[in-house]
Amino acid sequence: MADNSNVALPLSISAGIHIGVIIILAIGIDFTHKPEPVQQVSAPAVKAVMVDQQKVANQVEKLKQEKRDAERRERERQAELERKAQEAKQAREREQAQLKKLAEERKQQEIETQKANDAAKAAQVKQQQEKEKAQKAEADRKQKEQERKLAEDAAQKAAEKRKVEEAAAAKAEADRKQKEAEAKAKAEADAKAKAEAKAKADAEAKAKAAAKAKADAEAKARAQQEQEMADALAAEQAALSQTMNKQMQTEVGKYTAMIKSTIQRNLVVDESMRGKTCTVSVRLANDGFVISSQTQGGDPNVCRAAKAAILKAGKLPVSPDPAVYNLMKEINLIVEPTFN
C-alpha cells in the first residue's frame, strides 16, 4: 500500500502539469515554464499517465474546435455587417439618384409651364390686337358713311340751286316768248322736274341699297372675325388646361412614389410578410407632417409594420405646389414589403 501511494502522488502531479501545459498551448498563451523533475515511475504508472494525456488531448482539441467555430462565427458576423452596410450605401445612392432625377423633371415641367403661360399671353395680345383692328374698321366705316351723307347733302343743294337758276331762265324765256313760250316752258319744266325727281329717287334708293349691303357685309365679317378669335382662345385655354392637369398628375405620381419609398425605408419586415400587402389611409399637413394614419385592410402584420414605419418617419414628402398638395393631403397607399 505504501508503494502504491508513492507512485500515485507523482502520477497526479505529472498529469496536472501536462494538462496545464496543453491547455495553455491550446488557448494560445505564451508561457515558459521549467518543468520540475519527475520521479521515475514504473511501467503501470506510465500507462496511466498516457491515458490521462489522451483525455487531455481530446479536451484540448475540443477547445481548439470551439475557438475555431467562434472565430468563424465572428468572421461571418463581420461579413454580414459589411454586406448590410454596402446595401445601405447602395440604397442611399439610389435614393439620391432618384431625388436628382425628380429635380430635373420638375425643372423641365416648370419650363413647359412657362412656355404654356407665354403662349396664353401671346393669344391674349393677339385677341386685343384683333379687337383694336375691328374697332378701327368700324370707325373708318362710320367716317365714310358721314362723308357720303355730306356729299349727298351737297349734291342736293346743288340740284336745288340749279333748279332755281333754270326756273329763272325759264321765266325770262317765257317773258320773251309771251304766253306760248310760257306754256311751252311750263310744260318742259314740269317734265324736267318729274324726270329729275325720278332720277333723284332712283339714286337715293340705289345709295340706300349699297349702304345696306356694305353694312351687312361689314357686320358679317366682324362677327366671323370675333368667332375665329373666340375659337382660337378656347383652343389655347383647353391646351393649357390639359398641360397643367398632366403636370399635376405627374407630380402626384412622383410624390406618391417618394412617400412609399420613405415608408419602405422605415418598414421592419420578416419572412411571414412576403407577398402580403396592407392598404393605409394617411392625412398630411402642408409641411408633410403625418396628422393621422388608418389601415383600411390587409395582412395584420404588414398593417402593424406600416403604421409603425409611418409613425417613425413622422413627416412624409409633399409637393410645395398647393394644387398638388390638395390632391394628396388625404392619400390611400398600398404597402407591400420588399425583400433584398
Side-chain angles (χ1 to χ4, degrees), residues 18-19 22-23 26 50-66 68:
H18 281 80
I19 291 169
I22 293 171
I23 292 174
M50 291 178 64
V51 172
D52 291 339
Q53 289 178 344
Q54 182 62 39
K55 292 181 179 179
V56 171
N58 293 337
Q59 183 66 25
V60 169
E61 182 60 29
K62 181 179 179 182
L63 292 174
K64 287 183 178 180
Q65 184 62 39
E66 291 177 352
R68 287 195 294 271

Side-chain angles (χ1 to χ4, degrees), residues 128-281:
Q128 183 63 29
Q129 291 175 346
E130 295 293 340
K131 183 177 180 181
E132 292 175 354
K133 184 178 179 181
Q135 291 175 347
K136 185 177 182 300
E138 179 64 15
D140 291 342
R141 185 192 66 78
K142 290 181 178 179
Q143 179 66 28
K144 290 180 180 179
E145 180 68 17
Q146 186 177 6
E147 291 175 354
R148 185 186 62 79
K149 288 182 178 180
L150 291 174
E152 289 179 352
D153 292 341
Q156 185 176 3
K157 289 180 180 180
E160 291 174 353
K161 182 180 180 181
R162 188 173 62 253
K163 286 174 65 176
V164 171
E165 292 175 349
E166 290 175 351
K171 186 177 186 236
E173 183 68 15
D175 291 342
R176 189 178 62 82
K177 294 183 176 182
Q178 299 177 358
K179 289 182 180 182
E180 186 179 348
E182 289 177 358
K184 184 178 180 180
K186 184 179 180 182
E188 290 175 355
D190 291 340
K192 187 176 182 180
K194 290 179 180 181
E196 289 178 352
K198 185 177 183 302
K200 182 180 179 181
D202 292 341
E204 290 177 351
K206 185 176 180 181
K208 288 181 180 179
K212 184 177 183 303
K214 183 178 180 181
D216 291 343
E218 289 177 350
K220 183 177 180 180
R222 186 165 56 254
Q224 183 177 0
Q225 188 179 42
E226 290 176 353
Q227 183 62 41
E228 290 175 353
M229 288 190 294
D231 292 342
L233 180 60
E236 291 172 357
Q237 289 177 343
L240 178 59
S241 176
Q242 184 177 5
T243 300
M244 294 180 67
N245 287 336
K246 181 179 179 182
Q247 291 173 352
M248 288 181 64
Q249 291 302 321
T250 301
E251 284 286 296
V252 169
K254 288 179 181 178
Y255 278 93
T256 300
M258 292 172 67
I259 290 173
K260 286 185 176 181
S261 177
T262 302
I263 294 174
Q264 286 289 350
R265 286 199 304 273
N266 292 280
L267 193 66
V268 178
V269 301
D270 57 52
E271 281 298 327
S272 66
M273 300 179 186
R274 186 180 292 274
K276 298 177 181 179
T277 63
C278 177
T279 301
V280 184
S281 176

Side-chain angles (χ1 to χ4, degrees), residues 12 28 31 51 56-57 72 86 95 128 141 167 171 184 244 258 282-283 285 292 294 308 329 335:
S12 299
F31 183 80
V51 172
V56 171
R72 177 181 55 78
Q86 182 65 22
E95 182 179 357
Q128 183 63 29
R141 185 192 66 78
K171 186 177 186 236
K184 184 178 180 180
M244 294 180 67
M258 292 172 67
V282 182
R283 290 183 61 199
S292 67
Q294 297 291 332
K329 62 183 179 182
V335 178

Side-chain angles (χ1 to χ4, degrees), residues 7-53:
V7 171
L9 179 60
L11 287 174
S12 299
I13 295 172
S14 177
I17 292 172
H18 281 80
I19 291 169
V21 171
I22 293 171
I23 292 174
I24 291 170
L25 291 174
I27 63 177
I29 300 176
D30 185 11
F31 183 80
T32 305
H33 177 71
K34 293 181 180 180
E36 295 182 1
V38 180
Q39 184 177 358
Q40 297 294 325
V41 296
S42 63
V46 172
K47 183 176 181 182
V49 170
M50 291 178 64
V51 172
D52 291 339
Q53 289 178 344

